[in-house]
Amino acid sequence: NAGVTQTPKFQVLKTGQSMTLQCAQDMNHNSMYWYRQDPGMGLRLIYYSASEGTTDKGEVPNGYNVSRLNKREFSLRLESAAPSQTSVYFCASSSSGQPNTEAFFGQGTRLTVV
Amino acid sequence: AQKITQTQPGMFVQEKEAVTLDCTYDTSDPSYGLFWYKQPSSGEMIFLIYQGSYDQQNATEGRYSLNFQKARKSANLVISASQLGDSAMYFCAMREPPEAGGFKTIFGAGTRLFVKA
């Protein structure tokens, strides 16, 4: 039972480089999310996709783009990485947007921008 | 705007004792969901317990219970009979109501729990 799978698990980028973080879920969930986790700040929502074909900005969208490729996959792209984007990135999914549906998280991607 | 506050950066508890992790929240919406997640040192996020704003009773899941005081806007997590494996980071979170889309979940800064043998 894979749940939510993120790749890669670790990545080091140079300032200005681009990369795409991949996320896939096998739970037939409608909604998917990208968060970043910084020390002392909990998780902050970058972008979310309420359902296939839709994406919306979260709290901290600047410097990122997303693509909801299909119901299973939701990717996060950094077009020109900056040191401020050094963080741990989590992808999550939930069956709907109802308040009582918990989110299931991937293992996280630790990204360092030098 | 919604906000979650966890005022305890770190907590210590003796094995087999109970511990309460504090969480206060701020929202003007009458409908919302409150969650607690556990993040062990391995990094994954594990869902623990959920409380709906209209639920009359406090949520319980095994050794976890949620002390929900709506008027005070607090949703404290109580872990009974602490185990060494409970040592982890704990996050309180709130999801916005369905009328607002129900998709944004905001998190507190977390509390790191250390269980002593």
Side-chain angles (χ1 to χ4, degrees), chain B residues 27-77:
Chain B
T27 181
S28 56
D29 298 308
S31 174
Y32 48 89
L34 294 160
F35 300 81
W36 277 91
Y37 287 87
K38 172 185 179 181
Q39 186 179 43
S41 57
S42 50
E44 73 268 31
M45 296 286 286
I46 302 167
F47 164 73
L48 294 178
I49 196 167
Y50 163 81
Q51 179 83 44
S53 59
Y54 292 120
D55 293 344
Q56 295 297 312
Q57 291 188 320
N58 288 342
T60 60
E61 289 286 348
R63 293 187 299 110
Y64 305 108
S65 60
L66 203 151
N67 184 358
F68 182 46
Q69 298 186 45
K70 193 170 182 177
R72 298 181 59 185
K73 293 188 175 179
S74 74
N76 299 338
L77 177 71

Coordinates of all heavy atoms in Angstrom, one line a residue, chain B residues 27-77:
Chain B
T27 N -10.4 31.6 14.6 CA -11.2 31.6 13.3 C -12.5 32.3 13.6 O -13.0 32.2 14.7 CB -11.4 30.2 12.8 OG1 -12.1 30.2 11.6 CG2 -12.2 29.3 13.8
S28 N -13.1 32.9 12.6 CA -14.4 33.5 12.7 C -15.4 32.6 12.1 O -16.6 32.9 12.1 CB -14.4 34.8 12.0 OG -14.0 34.7 10.7
D29 N -15.0 31.4 11.5 CA -15.9 30.5 10.9 C -16.6 29.6 11.9 O -15.8 29.1 12.8 CB -15.2 29.6 9.8 CG -14.7 30.5 8.7 OD1 -15.4 31.3 8.1 OD2 -13.5 30.3 8.4
P30 N -17.8 29.3 11.8 CA -18.5 28.4 12.8 C -18.2 26.9 12.5 O -18.3 26.1 13.4 CB -20.0 28.7 12.6 CG -20.1 29.2 11.2 CD -18.8 29.9 10.9
S31 N -17.8 26.7 11.2 CA -17.5 25.3 10.8 C -16.1 25.1 10.5 O -15.5 25.8 9.6 CB -18.4 24.9 9.6 OG -18.1 23.7 9.1
Y32 N -15.4 24.2 11.1 CA -14.0 23.9 10.8 C -13.7 22.5 11.4 O -14.4 21.9 12.2 CB -13.1 25.0 11.5 CG -13.4 25.3 12.9 CD1 -12.8 24.5 13.9 CD2 -14.3 26.3 13.3 CE1 -13.1 24.8 15.3 CE2 -14.6 26.5 14.6 CZ -14.0 25.8 15.6 OH -14.3 26.1 16.9
G33 N -12.5 22.1 11.0 CA -12.0 20.8 11.5 C -10.7 21.0 12.1 O -9.8 21.7 11.6
L34 N -10.4 20.2 13.2 CA -9.2 20.3 13.9 C -8.5 19.0 13.9 O -9.1 17.9 14.1 CB -9.4 20.8 15.4 CG -9.9 22.2 15.5 CD1 -10.6 22.4 16.9 CD2 -8.8 23.2 15.3
F35 N -7.2 19.0 13.6 CA -6.4 17.7 13.5 C -5.2 17.8 14.4 O -4.6 18.9 14.6 CB -6.0 17.5 12.1 CG -7.1 17.4 11.0 CD1 -7.7 18.6 10.6 CD2 -7.5 16.2 10.6 CE1 -8.7 18.5 9.6 CE2 -8.5 16.1 9.6 CZ -9.1 17.3 9.2
W36 N -4.7 16.6 14.7 CA -3.3 16.5 15.3 C -2.6 15.5 14.5 O -3.1 14.4 14.1 CB -3.4 16.0 16.7 CG -3.6 17.1 17.7 CD1 -4.8 17.6 18.2 CD2 -2.6 17.9 18.3 NE1 -4.6 18.6 19.1 CE2 -3.3 18.9 19.2 CE3 -1.2 18.0 18.3 CZ2 -2.6 19.8 20.0 CZ3 -0.5 18.9 19.1 CH2 -1.2 19.8 19.9
Y37 N -1.3 15.8 14.2 CA -0.4 14.9 13.4 C 0.8 14.7 14.3 O 1.3 15.6 15.0 CB 0.0 15.6 12.1 CG -1.1 15.5 11.0 CD1 -2.1 16.6 11.0 CD2 -1.2 14.5 10.1 CE1 -3.0 16.6 10.0 CE2 -2.2 14.5 9.2 CZ -3.1 15.5 9.1 OH -4.1 15.5 8.2
K38 N 1.4 13.6 14.1 CA 2.7 13.2 14.7 C 3.8 13.1 13.7 O 3.5 12.5 12.6 CB 2.5 11.9 15.4 CG 3.8 11.3 16.0 CD 3.5 9.9 16.6 CE 4.8 9.3 17.2 NZ 4.5 7.9 17.7
Q39 N 4.9 13.7 13.9 CA 6.0 13.6 13.0 C 7.2 13.0 13.8 O 7.9 13.7 14.5 CB 6.4 14.9 12.4 CG 7.5 14.8 11.3 CD 7.8 16.2 10.7 OE1 7.9 17.2 11.3 NE2 7.9 16.2 9.3
P40 N 7.5 11.7 13.6 CA 8.7 11.1 14.3 C 10.0 11.6 13.6 O 9.9 12.3 12.6 CB 8.5 9.6 14.1 CG 7.5 9.5 13.0 CD 6.7 10.8 12.9
S41 N 11.1 11.2 14.1 CA 12.4 11.7 13.6 C 12.6 11.2 12.2 O 13.4 11.8 11.4 CB 13.5 11.2 14.5 OG 13.5 9.8 14.6
S42 N 11.9 10.2 11.8 CA 12.0 9.7 10.4 C 11.4 10.7 9.4 O 11.6 10.6 8.2 CB 11.4 8.3 10.2 OG 10.1 8.3 10.8
G43 N 10.6 11.6 9.9 CA 10.1 12.7 9.0 C 8.7 12.5 8.5 O 8.1 13.5 8.0
E44 N 8.1 11.4 8.5 CA 6.7 11.3 7.9 C 5.7 11.9 8.8 O 5.9 12.1 10.0 CB 6.3 9.8 7.6 CG 6.0 9.0 8.9 CD 7.3 8.3 9.4 OE1 8.4 8.8 9.2 OE2 7.1 7.2 10.0
M45 N 4.6 12.3 8.3 CA 3.5 12.9 9.0 C 2.4 11.9 9.2 O 1.9 11.3 8.2 CB 2.9 14.1 8.2 CG 3.8 15.2 8.1 SD 4.1 16.2 9.6 CE 2.5 17.1 9.7
I46 N 2.0 11.6 10.5 CA 1.0 10.6 10.8 C -0.2 11.2 11.4 O -0.1 11.9 12.4 CB 1.7 9.6 11.8 CG1 2.9 9.0 11.2 CG2 0.7 8.5 12.1 CD1 3.8 8.2 12.2
F47 N -1.4 11.0 10.8 CA -2.6 11.5 11.4 C -2.9 10.8 12.7 O -2.8 9.6 12.8 CB -3.7 11.3 10.4 CG -5.1 11.4 10.9 CD1 -5.6 12.7 11.3 CD2 -5.9 10.3 11.1 CE1 -6.9 12.8 11.8 CE2 -7.2 10.5 11.7 CZ -7.6 11.7 12.0
L48 N -3.3 11.6 13.7 CA -3.6 11.0 15.0 C -5.1 11.1 15.3 O -5.7 10.1 15.7 CB -2.9 11.7 16.1 CG -1.4 11.6 16.1 CD1 -0.8 12.4 17.3 CD2 -0.9 10.1 16.2
I49 N -5.7 12.3 15.2 CA -7.1 12.5 15.7 C -7.7 13.7 15.1 O -7.0 14.6 14.7 CB -7.0 12.6 17.3 CG1 -8.4 12.4 17.9 CG2 -6.4 13.9 17.7 CD1 -8.3 12.2 19.4
Y50 N -9.0 13.6 15.0 CA -9.8 14.7 14.4 C -11.0 15.1 15.3 O -11.6 14.3 15.9 CB -10.4 14.2 13.0 CG -11.5 15.1 12.5 CD1 -11.2 16.3 11.9 CD2 -12.8 14.7 12.7 CE1 -12.2 17.1 11.4 CE2 -13.9 15.6 12.3 CZ -13.6 16.7 11.6 OH -14.6 17.6 11.2
Q51 N -11.2 16.4 15.3 CA -12.4 17.0 16.0 C -13.1 18.0 15.2 O -12.5 18.9 14.6 CB -11.9 17.7 17.3 CG -13.0 18.3 18.1 CD -13.6 17.3 19.1 OE1 -13.0 16.5 19.7 NE2 -14.9 17.4 19.2
G52 N -14.4 17.8 15.0 CA -15.2 18.7 14.2 C -15.7 19.8 15.1 O -16.0 19.5 16.3
S53 N -15.9 21.0 14.6 CA -16.4 22.1 15.4 C -17.7 21.9 16.0 O -18.1 22.5 17.0 CB -16.3 23.4 14.6 OG -17.1 23.3 13.4
Y54 N -18.5 21.1 15.3 CA -19.9 20.8 15.8 C -20.0 19.5 16.6 O -21.1 19.2 17.1 CB -20.9 20.8 14.6 CG -21.1 22.1 13.9 CD1 -20.7 22.3 12.6 CD2 -21.5 23.2 14.6 CE1 -20.9 23.5 12.0 CE2 -21.7 24.4 14.0 CZ -21.4 24.6 12.7 OH -21.6 25.8 12.1
D55 N -18.9 18.8 16.8 CA -19.0 17.6 17.5 C -19.2 17.9 19.0 O -18.6 18.8 19.6 CB -17.6 16.8 17.4 CG -17.4 16.3 16.0 OD1 -18.4 16.3 15.2 OD2 -16.3 15.9 15.7
Q56 N -20.2 17.2 19.6 CA -20.5 17.5 21.0 C -19.6 16.8 22.0 O -19.4 17.3 23.1 CB -22.0 16.9 21.2 CG -23.0 17.6 20.5 CD -23.1 19.1 20.8 OE1 -23.2 19.5 22.0 NE2 -23.1 20.0 19.8
Q57 N -19.0 15.7 21.5 CA -18.1 15.0 22.4 C -16.6 15.2 22.0 O -16.3 15.3 20.8 CB -18.4 13.5 22.5 CG -19.8 13.2 23.1 CD -20.0 11.7 23.3 OE1 -19.7 10.9 22.4 NE2 -20.6 11.3 24.4
N58 N -15.7 15.1 23.0 CA -14.3 15.1 22.7 C -13.9 13.8 21.9 O -14.3 12.7 22.2 CB -13.5 15.2 23.9 CG -13.6 16.6 24.6 OD1 -14.0 17.6 23.9 ND2 -13.3 16.7 25.8
A59 N -13.1 14.0 20.9 CA -12.6 12.9 20.1 C -11.6 12.0 20.9 O -10.8 12.6 21.7 CB -12.0 13.4 18.8
T60 N -11.7 10.7 20.7 CA -10.7 9.8 21.3 C -10.3 8.8 20.3 O -11.1 8.4 19.4 CB -11.3 9.1 22.5 OG1 -12.4 8.3 22.1 CG2 -11.7 10.0 23.6
E61 N -9.0 8.4 20.3 CA -8.4 7.4 19.4 C -7.4 6.7 20.2 O -6.2 7.1 20.3 CB -7.8 8.0 18.2 CG -8.7 8.6 17.2 CD -9.5 7.5 16.4 OE1 -9.1 6.3 16.5 OE2 -10.5 7.9 15.7
G62 N -7.7 5.6 20.8 CA -6.8 4.8 21.6 C -6.3 5.6 22.8 O -7.0 6.1 23.6
R63 N -4.9 5.8 22.8 CA -4.3 6.6 23.9 C -4.4 8.1 23.7 O -3.9 8.9 24.5 CB -2.9 6.2 24.1 CG -2.7 4.7 24.6 CD -1.2 4.4 24.9 NE -0.4 4.6 23.7 CZ 0.6 5.5 23.5 NH1 0.7 6.5 24.5 NH2 1.3 5.6 22.4
Y64 N -4.9 8.5 22.5 CA -5.0 9.9 22.2 C -6.4 10.4 22.5 O -7.4 9.8 22.1 CB -4.7 10.2 20.8 CG -3.3 9.7 20.4 CD1 -3.2 8.6 19.5 CD2 -2.1 10.3 20.8 CE1 -1.9 8.1 19.1 CE2 -0.9 9.8 20.4 CZ -0.8 8.7 19.6 OH 0.4 8.3 19.2
S65 N -6.5 11.6 23.1 CA -7.8 12.2 23.2 C -7.6 13.7 23.0 O -6.5 14.2 23.2 CB -8.5 12.0 24.6 OG -7.7 12.4 25.6
L66 N -8.7 14.3 22.6 CA -8.6 15.8 22.3 C -9.5 16.5 23.3 O -10.7 16.2 23.3 CB -9.1 16.0 20.8 CG -8.6 17.3 20.2 CD1 -8.4 17.1 18.7 CD2 -9.5 18.4 20.5
N67 N -9.0 17.4 24.0 CA -9.7 18.2 25.0 C -10.2 19.5 24.3 O -9.4 20.4 24.2 CB -8.8 18.5 26.2 CG -9.6 19.3 27.3 OD1 -10.8 19.6 27.1 ND2 -8.9 19.6 28.4
F68 N -11.4 19.4 23.8 CA -11.9 20.5 22.9 C -12.7 21.4 23.8 O -13.8 21.0 24.3 CB -12.8 19.9 21.8 CG -13.4 20.8 20.8 CD1 -12.6 21.8 20.3 CD2 -14.7 20.7 20.4 CE1 -13.1 22.7 19.3 CE2 -15.2 21.6 19.5 CZ -14.5 22.6 19.0
Q69 N -12.3 22.7 23.8 CA -13.0 23.7 24.6 C -13.3 24.8 23.6 O -12.5 25.7 23.4 CB -12.2 24.2 25.8 CG -12.0 23.1 26.8 CD -11.3 23.6 28.0 OE1 -11.7 24.7 28.6 NE2 -10.3 22.9 28.5
K70 N -14.5 24.7 23.0 CA -14.8 25.6 21.9 C -14.8 27.1 22.3 O -14.4 27.9 21.5 CB -16.2 25.2 21.3 CG -16.5 25.8 20.0 CD -17.8 25.1 19.4 CE -18.1 25.7 18.0 NZ -19.2 25.0 17.4
A71 N -15.4 27.4 23.4 CA -15.5 28.8 23.8 C -14.1 29.4 24.0 O -13.9 30.6 23.8 CB -16.3 28.9 25.1
R72 N -13.2 28.6 24.5 CA -11.8 29.1 24.7 C -11.0 28.9 23.4 O -9.8 29.3 23.4 CB -11.2 28.3 25.8 CG -11.9 28.5 27.2 CD -11.2 27.7 28.3 NE -9.8 28.2 28.4 CZ -8.9 27.6 29.2 NH1 -9.3 26.6 30.0 NH2 -7.7 28.0 29.3
K73 N -11.5 28.3 22.4 CA -10.8 28.0 21.2 C -9.5 27.3 21.4 O -8.4 27.7 21.0 CB -10.6 29.3 20.4 CG -11.9 30.0 19.9 CD -11.6 31.2 19.0 CE -12.9 31.7 18.4 NZ -12.7 32.9 17.5
S74 N -9.7 26.2 22.2 CA -8.5 25.4 22.4 C -8.8 23.9 22.1 O -10.0 23.5 22.2 CB -8.0 25.5 23.9 OG -8.9 24.8 24.7
A75 N -7.8 23.2 21.6 CA -8.0 21.8 21.2 C -6.7 21.1 21.6 O -5.9 20.7 20.8 CB -8.2 21.8 19.7
N76 N -6.6 20.8 22.9 CA -5.4 20.2 23.4 C -5.4 18.7 23.2 O -6.4 18.0 23.4 CB -5.2 20.5 24.9 CG -5.1 22.0 25.2 OD1 -4.8 22.8 24.3 ND2 -5.5 22.4 26.4
L77 N -4.2 18.2 22.9 CA -4.0 16.8 22.7 C -3.5 16.2 24.0 O -2.6 16.6 24.6 CB -3.0 16.5 21.6 CG -2.7 15.0 21.4 CD1 -3.9 14.3 20.7 CD2 -1.4 14.8 20.5

